[in-house]
Amino acid sequence: MTEASFNWAGFWSAMASNLSNQSRNVLSKKFMVKKEDSLDNITLFSIITIMSFFLLAPAAIFMEGIKFTPAFIETAGMNVKQIYTRSLIAALCFHAYQQVSYMILQRVSPVTHSVGNCVKRVVVIVTSVLFFRTPVSPINSFGTGIALAGVFLYSRVKRIKPKPKTA
């Protein structure tokens, strides 16, 4: 909250994103149960991706409009081929990331998946701090420490908890 670039709309958008992402994981896991009529991770991911496209494409076109056209990009002084190439590479990388995420979700519980996502975020933050040499305030270090402590405690509790016996 003390950062110069902090704003409440961004904060609540991030919280809504976290909530929707975790809800998606829990609901997706319910569809991946081991039954004959259940969906595998690739089919489920494909269905969600197609539904998302149809839901969000009209909103993107309405909000961004002509900003996707080559003429607009050129008038903004940008290289059209470079923008489209980088956009395609980013889209393919994000698609691969999401596909791997669903493959992992099929093998673990939604809570374990969320903890792994937390570890991924901490690794990205620490890597970007080291790579870009971003100064880190004590409160940022404290927050990263809390995230790592939570992951550590979760892994310890997970090992202690006895496995239920199947009859």
Side-chain angles (χ1 to χ4, degrees), residues 2 11 18 32 37 54 58 69 78-79 104 126 128 133 140 145 155-156 166:
T2 60
F11 173 78
N18 286 333
M32 288 186 205
D37 58 343
F54 284 116
T69 63
M78 295 182 275
N79 183 342
I104 293 169
V126 169
S128 67
R133 302 192 195 290
N140 295 121
S155 68
R156 300 302 298 168
T166 56

Side-chain angles (χ1 to χ4, degrees), residues 115 118-119 121-122 125 141-153:
V115 170
C118 181
V119 170
R121 289 179 185 189
V122 169
I125 290 168
S141 299
F142 182 67
T144 302
I146 288 174
L148 289 173
V151 169
F152 174 74
L153 291 173

Side-chain angles (χ1 to χ4, degrees), residues 10-30:
F11 173 78
W12 288 114
S13 295
M15 293 301 106
S17 173
N18 286 333
L19 179 66
S20 62
N21 190 27
Q22 301 318 315
S23 299
R24 183 201 66 189
N25 289 343
V26 170
L27 292 173
S28 294
K29 186 66 176 185
K30 288 186 183 285

Side-chain angles (χ1 to χ4, degrees), residues 75-124:
T75 58
M78 295 182 275
N79 183 342
V80 174
K81 184 178 178 185
Q82 185 180 34
I83 295 290
Y84 285 164
T85 303
R86 289 182 179 181
S87 295
L88 178 65
I89 291 170
L92 291 173
C93 288
F94 187 71
H95 180 81
Y97 159 72
Q98 290 291 340
Q99 187 64 53
V100 169
S101 177
Y102 265 74
M103 291 167 67
I104 293 169
L105 180 62
Q106 188 169 24
R107 297 177 184 266
V108 299
S109 74
V111 174
T112 302
H113 188 268
S114 296
V115 170
N117 194 30
C118 181
V119 170
K120 176 202 66 152
R121 289 179 185 189
V122 169
V123 168
V124 167

